[in-house]
């Protein structure tokens, strides 16, 4: 299924825009190997012994940071976690000086989350390490899109030909952007749906169909991906109220009935229950939300391996 990591050929993972289909499929196929490892009684492989992974998070995270830490440890890498509040960034040290100092310690991979769009690209230009974008501003969240694609493929058996409705606060969502790029590259049809104030200002920039009501976007969908209302990123009053949003755009049973009977429900987390999604749907039989979280470890193990294993090294060697 997987050859050595040289077959992937990427130095960094900064986004899904421009990511070739064969490179994305390589990640998904490699993640299958690590998914099985993660379900064994002993969830450990020696693959990255002697390698160092630094998780550099300038923004809060539960799923991404923890799963990168678990992924690195399951591959026997040394994993170091740095957050802005516990680093010298809180004393005013710049991003450049932070990166130069970390680079001097010779890490193999820097996993970077930052509030500023483009920060991981800047880091990549200033370090000898491989850089993985763990979410930058409203720009991209490529590892989330890859784990979403992995989850869709495992749940429905394919990605090509499916209709994926991405609903909610699209304008502020790096998850929506990364998924739109990746899923269309892999042959899916993508719908964006949300209030006009929360849709991208230039929707033609994306290979998607845009709807300002949720119902037509869900018609016949195979996948319903609900996005979080990002109160922290809203510069102005873009919504009358959260209650009004839930009434007009929240995913409930009546709206989900417009999708295919076997459609799956996804959410990248964290969830605002009762706002963008009913709690009963988030916990219901069609929800794959926790499958997404489980997939996150396997996909991030695959990325750490593909970027930093020795040429020709097998995934579990
Ligand atoms: N999906 C996601 O990025 O979650 P966290 O912010 O908890 O990492």
């Amino acid at each position: 299924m997987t050859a050595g990591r040289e077959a992937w050929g990427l130095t960094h993972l900064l986004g899904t825009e421009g990511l070739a289909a064969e490179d994305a499929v390589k990640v998904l196929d490699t993640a299958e190997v690590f998914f099985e490892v993660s379900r064994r009684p002993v969830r450990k492989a020696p693959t990255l012994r002697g390698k160092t992974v630094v998780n550099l998070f300038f923004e809060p995270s539960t799923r991404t940071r923890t799963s990168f830490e678990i992924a690195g440890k399951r591959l026997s890498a040394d994993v170091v976690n740095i957050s802005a509040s516990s680093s010298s960034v809180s004393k005013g040290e710049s991003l450049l000086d932070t990166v130069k100092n970390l680079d001097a310690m010779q890490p193999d991979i820097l996993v970077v989350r930052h509030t500023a769009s483009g920060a991981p690209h800047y880091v990549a230009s200033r370090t000898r390490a491989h850089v993985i974008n763990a979410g930058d501003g409203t720009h991209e969240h490529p590892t989330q899109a890859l784990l979403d694609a992995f989850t869709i493929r495992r749940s429905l058996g394919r990605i090509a030909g499916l209709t994926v409705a991405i609903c909610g606060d699209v304008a502020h969502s790096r998850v929506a952007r990364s998924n739109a790029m990746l899923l269309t590259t892999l042959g899916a049809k993508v719908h964006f749906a949300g209030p006009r104030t929360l849709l991208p200002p230039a929707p033609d920039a994306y290979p998607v169909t845009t709807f300002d009501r949720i119902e037509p976007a869900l018609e016949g969908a195979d996948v319903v991906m609900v996005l979080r209302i990002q109160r922290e990123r809203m510069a102005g009053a873009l919504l009358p109220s959260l209650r009004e949003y839930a009434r007009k755009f929240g995913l409930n049973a009546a709206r989900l009935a417009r999708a295919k009977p076997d459609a799956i429900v996804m959410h990248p987390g964290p969830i605002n229950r009762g706002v963008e999604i009913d709690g009963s749907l988030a916990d219901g039989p069609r929800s794959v939300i926790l499958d997404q979280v489980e997939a996150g470890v396997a996909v991030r193990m695959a990325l750490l391996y593909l970027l930093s294993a020795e040429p020709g090294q097998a995934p579990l060697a």
Side-chain angles (χ1 to χ4, degrees):
M1 183 182 285
T2 55
R5 68 102 178 158
E6 77 285 3
W8 202 47
L10 272 72
T11 305
H12 308 290
L13 179 71
L14 300 177
T16 60
E17 186 170 11
L19 184 66
E22 61 265 30
D23 288 327
V25 169
K26 180 84 178 166
V27 176
L28 306 188
D29 289 346
T30 306
E32 292 287 354
V33 176
F34 293 122
F35 189 85
E36 297 311 321
V37 169
S38 292
R39 287 193 164 184
R40 290 179 188 169
V42 178
R43 296 176 280 276
K44 193 99 172 170
T47 318
L48 297 188
R49 207 165 34 201
K51 305 282 183 184
T52 303
V53 177
V54 176
N55 288 326
L56 183 55
F57 276 59
F58 292 91
E59 203 184 70
S61 169
T62 296
R63 282 146 289 269
T64 311
R65 197 202 60 77
T66 309
S67 60
F68 265 114
E69 180 173 358
I70 290 173
K73 287 179 172 170
R74 285 196 182 157
L75 291 173
S76 305
D78 297 310
V79 182
V80 179
N81 296 309
I82 304 175
S83 65
S85 58
S86 62
S87 72
S88 290
V89 170
S90 64
K91 301 176 202 163
E93 189 167 37
S94 70
L95 177 60
L96 176 58
D97 282 331
T98 303
V99 171
K100 282 164 79 172
N101 280 269
L102 293 175
D103 189 67
M105 298 180 221
Q106 306 199 27
D108 296 283
I109 298 187
L110 291 178
V111 179
V112 181
R113 171 171 286 195
H114 203 284
T115 48
S117 298
H121 303 67
Y122 178 72
V123 172
S125 72
R126 299 297 176 138
T127 179
R128 294 163 290 179
H130 303 285
V131 175
I132 299 177
N133 180 357
D136 62 325
T138 57
H139 179 226
E140 280 236 33
H141 194 349
T143 66
Q144 179 70 44
L146 285 161
L147 76 86
D148 289 341
F150 181 87
T151 305
I152 293 169
R153 199 176 75 164
R154 271 192 85 89
S155 302
L156 301 176
R158 67 195 168 102
I159 294 170
L162 298 181
T163 298
V164 180
I166 302 180
C167 308
D169 184 0
V170 180
H172 297 91
S173 178
R174 55 198 179 201
V175 174
R177 184 178 162 82
S178 287
N179 264 305
M181 300 298 177
L182 179 64
L183 295 175
T184 53
T185 296
L186 296 177
K189 202 163 88 174
V190 173
H191 294 172
F192 278 170
R196 279 187 197 164
T197 50
L198 296 182
L199 287 171
D204 291 348
Y206 300 88
V208 304
T209 309
T210 303
F211 299 84
D212 61 8
R213 288 176 54 243
I214 193 165
E215 288 81 1
L218 294 184
E219 215 62 64
D222 300 280
V223 178
V224 181
M225 188 181 293
V226 187
L227 303 172
R228 181 172 69 92
I229 289 293
Q230 299 193 35
R231 292 175 247 200
E232 74 276 21
R233 293 197 205 280
M234 289 200 192
L238 299 177
L239 289 175
S241 70
L242 292 181
R243 180 184 293 199
E244 180 72 356
Y245 179 83
R247 195 175 67 76
K248 284 197 169 159
F249 290 94
L251 187 67
N252 55 29
R255 291 193 173 116
L256 183 58
R258 292 175 175 261
K260 290 215 178 114
D262 60 349
I264 56 173
V265 174
M266 305 181 78
H267 193 305
I271 295 173
N272 295 304
R273 288 172 183 265
V275 181
E276 69 263 7
I277 186 169
D278 276 6
S280 62
L281 294 183
D283 301 329
R286 291 160 74 176
S287 168
V288 294
I289 293 171
L290 294 180
D291 302 76
Q292 292 172 262
V293 178
E294 182 179 9
V297 176
V299 164
R300 288 166 178 135
M301 287 172 83
L303 289 165
L304 296 179
Y305 159 76
L306 288 168
L307 284 171
S308 72
E310 295 304 316
Q313 186 184 348
L316 303 182

